[in-house]
Amino acid sequence: MGCGSSSISKEAVIESTPVTILNPSKAQLNVPMNRNANGDLQPRLSVADIASLSQRASIATDFSANDDQQLQYICDTDVSLEWLYQRLTEKFKCTEEPEPQWIAERLNAIGDKDLDQTTVLRVTFGWENENLPKSVVLKICVQQQDDATDEQKLASRMFRRECSVYEWLSKHKKIPAPKIFVLKKQATEAGNGVIIMEDLSEKAIVGDLTVGLNVEAVRDLLKNLAQIHALSLKSTDWTTMIAENSPFFYRQTAEFAANVLKNKEYFDESKLQMLNRFLSPTYMSNVVSESCEDMKISQCLIHGNPVANSVFLVNKEKVTAILDWTQSHPGCYGEDVAKAICWNLSADERHENLLRLLEYYHFNLLKYYGSTLEEITLEHVKKAYHTFLPIATVSFLLFLPEDLEQAEKNLLDRAQSLINDTVVMSTHMDIAEKSNERTSTPLPAET
């Protein structure tokens, strides 16, 4: 996905609209549906709901604060149809619109390695008003308890960070991001945090993690990342909104990666020993937080997770929207560049196209920055890529199951090739360091 033109075409731009930011309130959120023989929408249980029925007597129902209205809860979440209906009709100024029939479906299953723990739903409506969206996607934050675990606290922080990114992106219409209709950042007694966004599924298709992206798609992804990086280098308004990743985030990443590498029959043990130096959460945190200072460049907004299924595409090549900003943070552009290339291309595609991709990213970074950017040369981009190759390799392991017998071959091949390349690069670094030590050591005085 991603192609060659040096300017963003109109087809590739998802225009942002003003975002409704909700303050904590007593409003809550609703249940699923199907079509009857006449084609009308009516409530339906999703697969996840059906599974949950074995643990519960029935789908949860509740009453509003005034106990005068029974609420329908969507896919066993705390989001009700009534809340969603109210938010959308207010947003689109159609408050007299009658409550529609509807269908809801769960779009994801939360795995052990999904650090953000958000539930993603699509809700399709049966209303006839063309001014209202026919469907929307909801992203719902994990429920926050007083005795929340570290994992739940991390998930909540990641959700709020994504909301902050969408707030910032909504000010910049040319950035390829989904339209955000409503943001409810904070979980309250009335319900969890929620993002209501446009449903892009009729305009584009989401990338496939297992298949990855083709080279042209990666080019376009790099172009769009360059635009985001350049914009954030030119402004500072985002820096007070987006926080750094927490130490717990890196501990979780290192722990999950180490669990995958316990499958020693799939990896060369000598290579794993050399990879161990990069599995430290301290190493990862230090590289992310210190690389800009080391390279003497400013921090920019990093997406952090530019994998295929975080991208919507047209014709498998053109990026129309980048989503899933839960891992965004301030840092060095090299992190996004390394992950976008390493995570989405096969080893052969990566090796054959690496230099051209780095050149293309650098060209677009300068173009979108719009003025001289002498501190970032092509050599700087190459260095940044290699600096973040180990982190791209380690974090890619989170896409694999802990039991590698269940792993998709494409993903496993990509992981093995990244480990090989990281080990080779590490060996060269060690040789260079030893060579520098020898040349910098004074010769003994002649006697």
Side-chain angles (χ1 to χ4, degrees):
M1 327 165 185
C3 176
S5 137
S6 60
S7 63
I8 297 183
S9 69
K10 291 181 180 177
E11 289 80 15
V13 174
I14 300 298
E15 299 246 329
S16 300
T17 57
V19 178
T20 302
I21 312 291
L22 295 185
N23 293 320
S25 70
K26 292 184 179 180
Q28 291 193 0
L29 296 164
N30 177 153
V31 185
M33 311 200 170
N34 207 348
R35 293 184 184 271
N36 61 21
N38 298 321
D40 297 326
L41 296 175
Q42 41 186 95
R44 177 188 73 185
L45 295 183
S46 70
V47 173
D49 289 324
I50 293 169
S52 71
L53 286 175
S54 63
Q55 301 174 4
R56 304 187 318 156
S58 63
I59 292 292
T61 57
D62 201 349
F63 295 86
S64 66
N66 297 325
D67 288 339
D68 60 355
Q69 179 187 14
Q70 190 174 15
L71 301 179
Q72 305 173 75
Y73 287 94
I74 303 175
C75 292
D76 203 24
T77 68
D78 72 346
V79 176
S80 70
L81 175 64
E82 292 75 15
W83 184 90
L84 180 58
Y85 161 81
Q86 183 180 359
R87 298 286 80 80
L88 289 174
T89 54
E90 289 175 351
K91 169 69 179 177
F92 291 92
K93 298 180 172 57
C94 300
T95 52
E96 301 302 317
E97 185 72 17
E99 188 173 298
Q101 295 176 314
W102 57 291
I103 293 174
E105 55 190 314
R106 194 182 296 270
L107 301 182
N108 72 328
I110 302 174
D112 293 339
K113 288 184 280 190
D114 292 325
L115 299 178
D116 62 337
Q117 297 183 25
T118 49
T119 297
V120 184
L121 311 174
R122 178 189 292 117
V123 182
T124 303
F125 301 99
W127 42 42
E128 298 179 0
N129 191 333
E130 294 295 330
N131 294 322
L132 287 161
K134 297 301 182 185
S135 60
V136 294
V137 171
L138 308 184
K139 195 164 187 179
I140 305 170
C141 181
V142 64
Q143 189 171 8
Q144 190 74 65
Q145 306 287 355
D146 292 337
D147 57 347
T149 63
D150 288 339
E151 288 82 2
Q152 290 172 328
K153 291 176 182 177
L154 173 62
S156 182
R157 286 194 297 269
M158 294 173 74
F159 178 83
R160 291 196 299 272
R161 182 186 295 133
E162 181 169 35
C163 288
S164 296
V165 172
Y166 279 132
E167 282 183 68
W168 185 70
L169 291 177
S170 69
K171 304 173 187 175
H172 305 283
K173 299 192 177 200
K174 291 186 178 181
I175 296 294
K179 295 177 185 176
I180 304 299
F181 301 139
V182 176
L183 287 176
K184 180 175 181 283
K185 272 190 180 184
Q186 300 288 344
T188 65
E189 291 182 1
N192 295 342
V194 183
I195 301 171
I196 305 176
M197 66 180 74
E198 70 170 321
D199 178 15
L200 292 166
S201 61
E202 292 188 4
K203 302 177 183 178
I205 60 170
V206 70
D208 187 317
L209 167 66
T210 302
V211 175
L213 304 178
N214 62 41
V215 174
E216 290 303 308
V218 172
R219 277 170 58 86
D220 206 49
L221 176 56
L222 288 171
K223 181 183 77 172
N224 285 289
L225 289 171
Q227 183 184 14
I228 294 163
H229 296 163
L231 181 62
S232 60
L233 283 169
K234 290 195 296 185
S235 65
T236 59
D237 54 342
W238 63 275
T239 58
T240 58
M241 303 167 65
I242 318 309
E244 293 182 350
N245 286 323
S246 67
F248 184 70
F249 172 85
Y250 294 109
R251 288 201 299 274
Q252 290 288 84
T253 300
E255 178 184 331
F256 291 144
N259 286 338
V260 170
L261 294 175
K262 288 177 181 178
N263 296 266
K264 292 190 168 42
E265 62 272 25
Y266 289 88
F267 304 107
D268 184 307
E269 190 161 356
S270 62
K271 292 178 180 177
L272 293 187
Q273 290 175 355
M274 299 181 70
L275 192 68
N276 276 336
R277 65 194 286 183
F278 305 118
L279 282 171
S280 160
T282 301
Y283 168 83
M284 287 187 276
S285 177
N286 288 346
V287 170
V288 171
S289 62
E290 298 173 5
S291 54
C292 284
E293 184 177 348
D294 292 343
M295 296 182 198
K296 297 180 172 54
I297 59 174
S298 299
Q299 290 186 325
C300 62
L301 175 62
I302 301 304
H303 180 276
N305 191 33
V307 70
N309 55 6
S310 293
V311 176
F312 269 93
L313 301 160
V314 172
N315 297 327
K316 297 184 179 180
E317 293 185 353
K318 198 71 179 175
V319 174
T320 63
I322 302 173
L323 54 163
D324 191 9
W325 293 84
T326 55
Q327 296 185 35
S328 59
H329 59 275
C332 172
Y333 60 87
E335 180 177 352
D336 273 349
V337 172
K339 288 179 176 179
I341 294 173
C342 294
W343 287 1
N344 297 309
L345 295 177
S346 68
D348 288 344
E349 290 173 324
R350 179 161 48 85
H351 295 153
E352 291 171 9
N353 295 279
L354 178 59
L355 179 57
R356 287 193 292 272
L357 290 171
L358 296 180
E359 289 173 340
Y360 189 69
Y361 169 82
H362 181 242
F363 167 80
N364 281 283
L365 183 66
L366 298 184
K367 185 188 86 169
Y368 286 116
Y369 191 77
S371 59
T372 303
L373 196 57
E374 294 179 354
E375 65 267 29
I376 303 182
T377 65
L378 178 57
E379 289 307 310
H380 285 113
V381 173
K382 293 177 184 177
K383 180 181 178 182
Y385 169 84
H386 286 102
T387 296
F388 282 93
L389 174 60
I391 288 180
T393 297
V394 169
S395 51
F396 183 79
L397 298 173
L398 273 66
F399 299 127
L400 296 173
E402 290 189 13
D403 180 2
L404 292 186
E405 288 187 2
Q406 302 175 18
E408 297 282 352
K409 185 178 184 303
N410 285 351
L411 292 179
L412 188 55
D413 288 347
R414 237 176 289 166
Q416 290 171 328
S417 69
L418 287 172
I419 290 173
N420 291 341
D421 289 353
T422 300
V423 168
V424 169
M425 187 194 74
S426 175
T427 303
H428 289 166
M429 288 169 51
D430 290 343
I431 292 173
E433 287 175 6
K434 290 177 182 177
S435 176
N436 289 336
E437 288 174 6
R438 286 196 296 270
T439 56
S440 62
T441 301
L443 295 173
E446 294 185 10
T447 57

